[in-house]
C-alpha cells in the first residue's frame, strides 16, 4: 500500500451566501435516499449548503461533497477521484472507506455511479465529535491510501448550520470550473513550493549540424552526371550503399573513364603475372626475397585499384554511392552536368545530433561557467524542451569577443528528438546553478492582462480565485513569484486560459452549482 499524505485541508463553503443555482453532473439520481436525492440531484443548492473536502497523495486527488454530518443521520460523500499523472478520472477502481470517531471505526458503503470517476460513500455516524475519513483506492496499478483528519460530526442540525455560516466563503473574484469540465481538457493543478532558482540568460540560438553528422560525397572521376531516379531531391532519405548518380566518362577525349578502366585492368593483370612468376622463381632460388616482396607490393596496389574500379565503375562510368544512411541535405549536381574529379556531388546528413550555437552579451560572461542546463522553444511552438529531455550538454563557450560584435558564443550539442531543423533559430534560456530558493509557478499558470499577471488559486478543485501576482525571472518553464502567493497554495498549472474564459463568459456564477 502506498504511503499517503494530505496536502489540502478540508475546504468549506456554504450555500447560505449563494445567490444562484447550478445543474451540472446531471443524471446522478440516488433513488432510495430521499434526503440525499433532494440535495444532490442536479446539484441545486438554493436552500441547503454543502461542505467540500480534498486530499492528495502521490498519485490521487480526492475531492468530495457532503452535507454537514449529524449524529444518527445518514451521510453521503459524493467523491471525485482524479489521477494526478494526467488529471483524468480514475476508472474501474474499487473504493473502501471508513469513519473513525472517538476511537471507534465503522465502514462506509462505497458505490460507483454511471459517471466514471465519481463514487458515493454513505453511512450513519453514531457519535459526535472529531472524525477521521480513511479511503483506500484499489486499481490495476495497486492500492492508494488517503486520509482526512479534521471532519466534524455535529450533535444537531442547529449546530451544523452555525458551523456552515461561520465558515462560508464569499469570493466574488472566483471562477467555477467543474470536474466534468477539467476532465475533458488538458488541465492540471500544482502545489506552489520553493526551489533552487539561479540566473537565467535569454538568447537566440541557431541550429547547426554536428561535426561528423554530415558527409560530403565527391566525384572520383570527371564526366557527365546522370542522376538515378526522379525522386532523388534534397530532403530525400537514402540508404547506405544506395547509388546517387553515375558519372559517364566514355566518349570524352580527356579523362576518359573507359580508358582509365582499361589501364587499371591491364596494370592489375601485368602485376599479377609478375608476382606469380617471381613466386615460382623464388621457390627455385632464382630471385631474391627483396625482388619477391617488391613484385608483391606492386601487385597488391594494382589489385586494390582494380577492386575499386570493379566496385564503383562499370561500363565506362562511376557509380557514386551513399557511404551512410541518412538524408540528402544538399545536391550540387543536375542531370547532364559535367563534373571534375574531386568535385562535391551531395551532402548526406543523419540529423541525429545537432549543435545549438547561441551568443550572449559579454556582460553575462561570469555566469557562463555555472550554466548547467537550458530550456529550448521553437518559434511559433508552445512546446518547451529542457536540455536533459533532448539529451543535450554544453560543449564550450568563448573566452573573447570581437570589437564589431561584443558577443560570446556558447555551443550546445543535442539529440534531434524533436524534429529540429538545421539552419533555423530557437529561443533559449541558459540556466545557472544556484543555492538560492525562490517561489515558482509553471509559465502556463500565468495569465497576462494589460501588463499585469494573474494566477488561478484553487479554493476547491472546482472553485478557483483569480489573484494578481508580482513576477520575477523566468527560465522558459517556470517563473519566480515575488508577491501574491504563499507556499503550499495550489494553482492551475494547465488550462489557465480556459478557466479565464469560463470566468469572463459570465455563463456560470462562481457561487452557483457546486459552491461549498
Amino acid at each position: 500500500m502506498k504511503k499517503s499524505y494530505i496536502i489540502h485541508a478540508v475546504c468549506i463553503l456554504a450555500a447560505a451566501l449563494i445567490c444562484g443555482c447550478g445543474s451540472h453532473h446531471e443524471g446522478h439520481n440516488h433513488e432510495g435516499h430521499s434526503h440525499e436525492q433532494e440535495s444532490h440531484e442536479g446539484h441545486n443548492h438554493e436552500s441547503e449548503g454543502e461542505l467540500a473536502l480534498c486530499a492528495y497523495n502521490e498519485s490521487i486527488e480526492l475531492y468530495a461533497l457532503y452535507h454537514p454530518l449529524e449524529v444518527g443521520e445518514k451521510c453521503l460523500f459524493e467523491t471525485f477521484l482524479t489521477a494526478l499523472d494526467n488529471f483524468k478520472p480514475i476508472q474501474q477502481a474499487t473504493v473502501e472507506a471508513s469513519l473513525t470517531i472517538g476511537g471507534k471505526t465503522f465502514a462506509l458503503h462505497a458505490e460507483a455511479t454511471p459517471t466514471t470517476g465519481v463514487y458515493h460513500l454513505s453511512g450513519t455516524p453514531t457519535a459526535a465529535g472529531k472524525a477521521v475519513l480513511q479511503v483506500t483506492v484499489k486499481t490495476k496499478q495497486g492500492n492508494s491510501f488517503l486520509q482526512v483528519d479534521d471532519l466534524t460530526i455535529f450533535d444537531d442540525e442547529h449546530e451544523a448550520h452555525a458551523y456552515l455560516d461561520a465558515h462560508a466563503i464569499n469570493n466574488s473574484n472566483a471562477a467555477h470550473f467543474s470536474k466534468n469540465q477539467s476532465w475533458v481538457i488538458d488541465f492540471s493543478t500544482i502545489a506552489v513550493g520553493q526551489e533552487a532558482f539561479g540566473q537565467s540568460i535569454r538568447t537566440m540560438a541557431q541550429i547547426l549540424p554536428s561535426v561528423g553528422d554530415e558527409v560530403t560525397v565527391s566525384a572520383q572521376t570527371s564526366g557527365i552526371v546522370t542522376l538515378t531516379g526522379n525522386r532523388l531531391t534534397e530532403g530525400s532519405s537514402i540508404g547506405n550503399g544506395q547509388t546517387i548518380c553515375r558519372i559517364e566518362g566514355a566518349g570524352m577525349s580527356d579523362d576518359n573513364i573507359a580508358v582509365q578502366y582499361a589501364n587499371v585492368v591491364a596494370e592489375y593483370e601485368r602485376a599479377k603475372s609478375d608476382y606469380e612468376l617471381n613466386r615460382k622463381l623464388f621457390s627455385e632460388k632464382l630471385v631474391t626475397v627483396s625482388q619477391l616482396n617488391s613484385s608483391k607490393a606492386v601487385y597488391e596496389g594494382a589489385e586494390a585499384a582494380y577492386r575499386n574500379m570493379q566496385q564503383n565503375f562499370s561500363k565506362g562510368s562511376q557509380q557514386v554511392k551513399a557511404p551512410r544512411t541518412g538524408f540528402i541535405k544538399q545536391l550540387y549536381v543536375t542531370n547532364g552536368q559535367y563534373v571534375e574529379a574531386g568535385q562535391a556531388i551531395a551532402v548526406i546528413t543523419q540529423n541525429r545530433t545537432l549543435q545549438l550555437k547561441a551568443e550572449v552579451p559579454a556582460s553575462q560572461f561570469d555566469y557562463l561557467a555555472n550554466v548547467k542546463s537550458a530550456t529550448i522553444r521553437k518559434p511559433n511552438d508552445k512546446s518547451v524542451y529542457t536540455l536533459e529531455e533532448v539529451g543535450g550538454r554544453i560543449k564550450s563557450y568563448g573566452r573573447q569577443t570581437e570589437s564589431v560584435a561584443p558577443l560570446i558564443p556558447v555551443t550546445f550539442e543535442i539529440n534531434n528528438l524533436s524534429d529540429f531543423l538545421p539552419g533555423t533559430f530557437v529561443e533559449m534560456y541558459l540556466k545557472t546553478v544556484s543555492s538560492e530558493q525562490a517561489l515558482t509557478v509553471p509559465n502556463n499558470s500565468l495569465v497576462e492582462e494589460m501588463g499585469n499577471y494573474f494566477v488561478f488559486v484553487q479554493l476547491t478543485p472546482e472553485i478557483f480565485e483569480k489573484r494578481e501576482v508580482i513576477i520575477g525571472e523566468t527560465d522558459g518553464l517556470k517563473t519566480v513569484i515575488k508577491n501574491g502567493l504563499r507556499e503550499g497554495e495550489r494553482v492551475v498549472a494547465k488550462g489557465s486560459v480556459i478557466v479565464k474564459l469560463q470566468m469572463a463568459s459570465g455563463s456560470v456564477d462562481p457561487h452557483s452549482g457546486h459552491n461549498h
Side-chain angles (χ1 to χ4, degrees), residues 154-387:
F154 299 101
D155 285 313
D156 52 43
E157 184 178 358
H158 176 75
E159 190 178 60
H161 280 287
Y163 185 85
L164 279 173
D165 292 340
H167 294 82
I169 294 178
N170 185 17
N171 193 323
S172 61
N173 199 33
H176 175 256
F177 200 71
S178 72
K179 293 303 294 183
N180 278 352
Q181 289 174 297
S182 65
W183 280 344
V184 297
I185 68 168
D186 190 13
F187 180 89
S188 69
T189 63
I190 190 171
V192 177
Q194 298 272 348
E195 65 173 309
F197 199 93
Q199 175 79 14
S200 293
I201 306 172
R202 182 184 179 185
T203 184
M204 298 295 291
Q206 186 176 20
I207 303 174
L208 302 171
S210 292
V211 176
D213 197 59
E214 292 186 352
V215 62
T216 300
V217 183
S218 302
Q220 297 181 18
T221 186
S222 301
I224 304 299
V225 171
T226 301
L227 295 175
T228 57
N230 296 325
R231 297 182 179 180
L232 199 62
T233 59
E234 293 181 354
S236 300
S237 59
I238 194 165
N240 184 23
Q242 182 177 337
T243 301
I244 300 174
C245 66
R246 295 195 314 274
I247 300 177
E248 306 282 351
M252 301 185 64
S253 58
D254 297 330
D255 297 325
N256 191 309
I257 193 172
V259 175
Q260 294 178 32
Y261 185 86
N263 290 338
V264 169
V265 173
E267 177 60 23
Y268 166 69
E269 292 177 348
R270 184 191 65 76
K272 181 179 179 182
S273 177
D274 288 348
Y275 175 57
E276 291 176 348
L277 176 61
N278 281 336
R279 287 180 60 189
K280 182 178 179 181
L281 294 176
F282 179 75
S283 65
E284 298 174 358
K285 299 183 180 181
L286 296 177
V287 297
T288 64
V289 174
S290 176
Q291 289 175 312
L292 176 64
N293 289 339
S294 177
S295 63
K296 180 181 179 181
V298 173
Y299 164 69
E300 289 176 345
E303 184 182 34
Y306 172 70
R307 300 300 179 197
N308 180 61
M309 276 287 186
Q310 276 192 323
Q311 182 179 358
N312 297 294
F313 298 85
S314 64
K315 298 181 180 180
S317 65
Q318 175 201 352
Q319 296 184 61
V320 181
K321 298 181 178 181
R324 63 169 60 169
T325 298
F327 301 89
I328 297 179
K329 177 183 177 181
Q330 290 177 293
L331 190 62
Y332 295 112
V333 297
T334 58
N335 270 324
Q337 180 179 340
Y338 172 77
V339 296
E340 296 182 348
Q343 184 173 334
I345 300 295
V347 175
I348 296 175
T349 182
Q350 293 180 317
N351 272 0
R352 291 180 179 176
T353 59
L354 300 169
Q355 287 188 352
L356 298 180
K357 185 178 180 181
E359 292 183 330
V360 303
S363 59
Q364 304 289 345
F365 177 78
D366 291 341
Y367 296 108
L368 295 181
N370 292 322
V371 171
K372 301 300 180 183
S373 185
T375 55
I376 307 162
R377 187 177 72 86
K378 294 188 289 186
N380 304 319
D381 190 341
K382 294 182 179 180
S383 300
V384 179
Y385 307 92
T386 65
L387 197 62

Side-chain angles (χ1 to χ4, degrees), residues 207 354 356 373-392 412 414-421 425-431 443-444 475-478:
I207 303 174
L354 300 169
L356 298 180
S373 185
T375 55
I376 307 162
R377 187 177 72 86
K378 294 188 289 186
N380 304 319
D381 190 341
K382 294 182 179 180
S383 300
V384 179
Y385 307 92
T386 65
L387 197 62
E388 292 74 18
E389 288 175 334
V390 293
F412 296 84
I414 65 172
N415 296 326
N416 191 9
L417 304 178
S418 304
D419 296 327
F420 290 108
L421 181 62
F425 289 84
V426 294
E427 183 182 27
M428 289 190 72
Y429 288 86
L430 313 188
K431 300 165 63 175
N443 282 5
N444 288 334
D475 64 1
L477 284 176
K478 296 183 178 181

Side-chain angles (χ1 to χ4, degrees), residues 435-457:
S435 59
E436 295 183 5
Q437 298 288 308
L439 198 68
T440 65
V441 298
N443 282 5
N444 288 334
S445 294
L446 296 170
V447 176
E448 182 183 3
E449 293 182 1
M450 301 182 66
N452 298 318
Y453 290 89
F454 299 84
V455 296
F456 284 95
V457 182

Side-chain angles (χ1 to χ4, degrees), residues 53-118:
L53 64 84
C54 50
Y56 295 82
N57 63 18
E58 66 276 11
S59 59
I60 292 177
E61 174 195 78
L62 181 150
Y63 170 52
L65 307 174
Y66 65 103
H67 290 280
L69 307 178
E70 299 178 34
V71 176
E73 295 290 334
K74 189 170 184 178
C75 65
L76 176 66
F77 295 90
E78 185 176 20
T79 306
F80 304 83
L81 297 178
T82 303
L84 293 181
D85 59 349
N86 57 12
F87 271 80
K88 301 302 178 187
I90 295 178
Q91 303 180 21
Q92 300 178 346
T94 299
V95 178
E96 297 177 355
S98 65
L99 276 176
T100 300
I101 311 165
K104 296 183 179 179
T105 300
F106 69 93
L108 296 176
H109 174 69
E111 179 183 1
T113 70
T115 302
T116 303
V118 182

